[in-house]
């Protein structure tokens, strides 16, 4: 068989620990034999971020912006313990945070679903994709713990003598707590564009929810910006695609989501998204089956697995144990990126290959061959055999070869 030839390079961002090892295995077993892989490679391992003073992360993000499509391995976000472990000169920032800031993008997380791993919520039949607005609000708030009586005010000094001042609370009976949050029109707009773009891209309904009845300026602004952008730029496209944009209150949305069949995108403000993404991903069963894509408002895509570098498995691997990590989400990061690259460059074979690769993964799982993390999750009566990562990849490969 002739290998598939690519046009535009895919931005490849390598990572750390167990996922770095499995990344290489996936390339060797499932990609390089079939595709003349054209990648612009960036090594985002912590070691190389240290060596380049994190320059490599910025360069990778710029390349992703230039070429439009990237695929990223999981990376360590250093904490104090990692600074010691890797002898770092600085506690480098989260690469995902850096890339997200440069692309000004929104992260969409969706589970890979099967018939034999049932979500905890019985009505869910299709994936629910969570889009979290990862900017501002309580994550960048100014806070104060007041210890005495006193008055808290909210004030603003704008250009052109715009000004505002209002009492938040007059503390008459001892102190209390005060918090000031902000968000920006430009960030909310970018969030809205990413959400509408991705809904069209995946032909799924988009839900958005805030508490605008209570927060008549703050949350209301989110609601209005979404509405305005929808009406101006997306309503017609949505109607043509047969999908809908649905706005409701956050508590109503939470109740509806539980009763739904799934199969839509749920856009959430920063804190709501933080909470709901963990709730929804856990309810779907497994972090190892959760995919993630960063979408910029101007249509750049970066695909990755939602999980981290699976450190505990890595330490076992260093002691000589064969890898048992579930590679599904990493494989889907590659298939997602290759499909997108194929679409943008008009290379049908490449997009078809992505479909076939995912098909081969599903065929393998359906035959009961899976990594051990999934075995306890299958429905009663389904017979499953645990294999290690290498055996799992080899079975996928043989299923893939049958379809090429
Ligand atoms: P993690 O790497 O996602 O792993 C947490 C646990 O979940 C693992 O120990 C494992 O449980 C299970 N797990 C996750 N993915 C799995 C897979 N594919 N196959 C089998 N089991 C899987 O999270 P973490 O341990 O909190 O973080 C480790 C490192 O990853 C940290 O340095 C963090 O900074 C980084 N991180 C990176 C990203 C990213 O780059 N996007 C995201 C999150 C975390 P068992 O050990 O019980 O088998
Ligand atoms: Mg969280």
């Amino acid at each position: 068989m002739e290998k598939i030839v690519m046009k535009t390079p895919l931005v490849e961002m390598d990572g750390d620990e167990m996922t770095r090892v499995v990344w290489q295995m996936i390339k060797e077993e499932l990609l390089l034999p079939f595709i003349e892989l054209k990648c612009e490679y960036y090594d985002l391992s912590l070691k190389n971020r240290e060596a380049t003073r994190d320059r490599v992360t910025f360069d990778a993000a710029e390349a992703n912006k230039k070429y439009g499509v990237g695929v990223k391995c999981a990376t360590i976000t250093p904490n104090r313990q990692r600074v010691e472990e890797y002898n770092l000169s600085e506690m480098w920032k989260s690469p995902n945070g850096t890339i997200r800031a440069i692309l000004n993008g929104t992260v969409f997380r969706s589970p890979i679903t099967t018939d034999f791993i049932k979500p905890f919520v019985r009505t869910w039949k299709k994936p629910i994709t969570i889009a979290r607005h990862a900017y501002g609000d309580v994550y960048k708030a100014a806070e104060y713990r007041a210890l005495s009586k006193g008055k808290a005010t909210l004030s603003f000094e704008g250009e052109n003598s715009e000004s505002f001042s209002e009492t938040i609370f007059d503390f008459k009976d001892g102190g209390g707590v005060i918090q000031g949050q902000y968000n920006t029109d430009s960030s909310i707009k970018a969030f809205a564009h990413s959400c509408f773009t991705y809904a069209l891209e995946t032909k799924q309904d988009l839900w958005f929810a805030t508490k605008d009845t209570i927060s008549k300026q703050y949350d209301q602004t989110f609601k209005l910006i979404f509405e305005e952008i929808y009406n101006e730029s997306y309503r017609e496209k949505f109607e043509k695609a047969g999908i809908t944009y649905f706005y409701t209150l956050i508590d109503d949305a939470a109740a509806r989501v539980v009763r739904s069949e799934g199969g839509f995108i749920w856009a959430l403000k920063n804190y709501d998204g933080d909470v709901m993404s963990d709730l929804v991903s856990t309810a779907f069963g497994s972090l190892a089956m959760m995919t993630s894509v960063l979408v910029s408002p101007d249509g750049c895509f970066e695909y990755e697995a939602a999980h981290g570098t699976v450190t505990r498995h890595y330490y076992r691997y260093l002691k000589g144990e064969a890898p048992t990590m579930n590679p599904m989400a990493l494989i889907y990061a590659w298939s997602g990126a290759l499909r997108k690259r194929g679409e943008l460059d008009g290379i049908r074979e490449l997009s078809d290959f992505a479909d076939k690769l995912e098909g081969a993964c599903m065929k393998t799982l359906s035959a009961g061959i899976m990594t051990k993390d999934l075995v306890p999750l299958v429905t009663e009566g389904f017979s499953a055999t645990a294999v290690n990562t290498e055996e799992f990849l080899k079975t996928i490969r043989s299923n893939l070869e049958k379809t090429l």
Side-chain angles (χ1 to χ4, degrees):
M1 196 202 97
E2 270 185 38
K3 288 193 192 181
I4 300 165
V5 177
M6 294 174 64
K7 257 187 232 161
T8 317
L10 189 61
V11 178
E12 176 187 355
M13 300 173 231
D14 209 343
D16 289 300
E17 300 192 315
M18 201 65 246
T19 44
R20 185 182 180 92
V21 175
V22 173
W23 189 259
Q24 199 52 42
M25 292 167 73
I26 291 170
K27 281 173 68 178
E28 276 161 23
E29 200 67 57
L30 300 177
L31 305 175
L32 293 169
F34 311 107
I35 305 172
E36 208 63 72
L37 258 194
K38 192 168 172 186
C39 290
E40 198 164 293
Y41 179 85
Y42 292 87
D43 181 3
L44 262 57
S45 67
L46 187 50
K47 207 172 144 202
N48 196 45
R49 278 178 274 151
E50 168 72 15
T52 61
R53 303 199 54 77
D54 209 23
R55 186 72 250 158
V56 65
T57 308
F58 289 81
D59 292 346
E62 290 299 341
N64 202 145
K65 221 169 151 177
K66 176 174 163 196
Y67 294 118
V69 189
V71 58
K72 182 181 167 291
C73 185
T75 47
I76 293 168
T77 298
N79 52 18
R80 234 183 306 147
Q81 181 249 323
R82 298 293 199 170
V83 170
E84 267 174 42
E85 184 183 349
Y86 284 82
N87 197 14
L88 303 179
S89 57
E90 264 180 59
M91 201 187 287
W92 304 109
K93 288 205 178 124
S94 149
N96 285 41
T98 302
I99 297 164
R100 198 167 54 218
I102 291 173
L103 291 181
N104 193 16
T106 296
V107 173
F108 297 81
R109 272 177 158 216
S110 344
I112 304 165
T113 53
T114 67
D115 293 337
F116 44 87
I117 299 172
K118 297 270 182 243
F120 287 100
V121 180
R122 270 173 297 154
T123 53
W124 290 356
K125 297 202 166 65
K126 290 179 250 170
I128 295 170
T129 300
I130 298 280
R132 171 181 172 190
H133 180 220
Y135 180 83
D137 299 352
V138 69
Y139 302 85
K140 294 281 178 195
E143 294 193 319
Y144 184 62
R145 169 81 177 102
L147 298 174
S148 53
K149 294 179 193 178
K151 203 200 266 182
T153 46
L154 183 67
S155 68
F156 176 75
E157 304 288 330
E159 273 184 344
N160 311 326
S161 69
E162 178 190 356
S163 82
F164 173 83
S165 182
E166 191 182 297
T167 301
I168 297 171
F169 193 68
D170 203 346
F171 293 88
K172 292 195 166 118
D173 177 23
V177 284
I178 308 155
Q179 184 180 69
Q181 298 186 21
Y182 76 91
N183 221 299
T184 66
D185 286 5
S186 70
S187 177
I188 301 168
K189 283 178 186 165
F191 177 47
H193 279 292
S194 294
C195 290
F196 291 125
T197 301
Y198 195 64
L200 280 171
E201 173 79 26
T202 57
K203 297 214 167 22
Q204 296 184 88
D205 292 345
L206 175 68
W207 294 22
F208 182 44
T210 73
K211 195 72 184 176
D212 65 286
T213 46
I214 298 299
S215 172
K216 292 196 169 66
Q217 296 295 330
Y218 203 109
D219 280 20
Q220 174 92 294
T221 299
F222 278 78
K223 177 188 173 179
L224 293 177
I225 287 178
F226 264 69
E227 215 168 84
E228 195 182 304
I229 289 179
Y230 177 66
N231 287 329
E232 259 173 26
S233 314
Y234 295 96
R235 182 181 283 279
E236 272 174 39
K237 291 178 192 156
F238 267 52
E239 282 166 4
K240 221 183 249 167
I243 57 174
T244 53
Y245 169 57
F246 172 60
Y247 177 87
T248 187
L249 285 170
I250 182 70
D251 42 350
D252 179 48
R256 282 172 188 261
V257 164
V258 173
R259 281 186 264 114
S260 78
E261 284 197 355
F264 54 88
I265 299 166
W266 188 12
L268 294 144
K269 286 179 60 204
N270 207 351
Y271 178 80
D272 299 336
D274 188 351
V275 177
M276 289 305 170
S277 63
D278 282 12
L279 187 141
V280 169
S281 69
T282 307
F284 270 105
S286 171
L287 187 53
M289 297 284 273
M290 191 60 71
T291 66
S292 172
V293 53
L294 175 73
V295 181
S296 78
D298 52 353
C300 290
F301 297 81
E302 183 237 32
Y303 294 83
E304 65 173 320
H307 60 75
T309 59
V310 203
T311 311
R312 291 211 306 198
H313 291 228
Y314 183 59
Y315 291 145
R316 292 207 298 264
Y317 165 77
L318 290 181
K319 284 188 187 146
E321 221 176 87
T324 53
M325 192 199 102
N326 183 345
M328 283 292 289
L330 283 183
I331 297 172
Y332 273 61
W334 276 101
S335 57
L338 291 169
R339 181 182 295 111
K340 187 83 235 168
R341 196 64 274 168
E343 277 167 25
L344 292 177
D345 290 351
I347 308 174
R348 185 63 194 279
E349 302 81 18
L350 197 56
S351 307
D352 286 350
F353 176 84
D355 293 343
K356 287 173 183 167
L357 177 55
E358 290 178 4
C361 291
M362 278 303 151
K363 193 157 181 225
T364 306
L365 291 178
S366 304
I369 296 166
M370 55 190 70
T371 45
K372 69 174 184 215
D373 55 301
L374 295 182
V375 174
L377 302 178
V378 303
T379 45
E380 237 181 82
F382 185 88
S383 111
T385 314
V387 294
N388 65 33
T389 311
E390 194 187 344
E391 292 161 340
F392 185 61
L393 292 175
K394 284 209 185 318
T395 314
I396 295 171
R397 177 169 176 173
S398 99
N399 282 328
L400 175 62
E401 278 170 342
K402 284 177 207 149
T403 65
L404 295 174

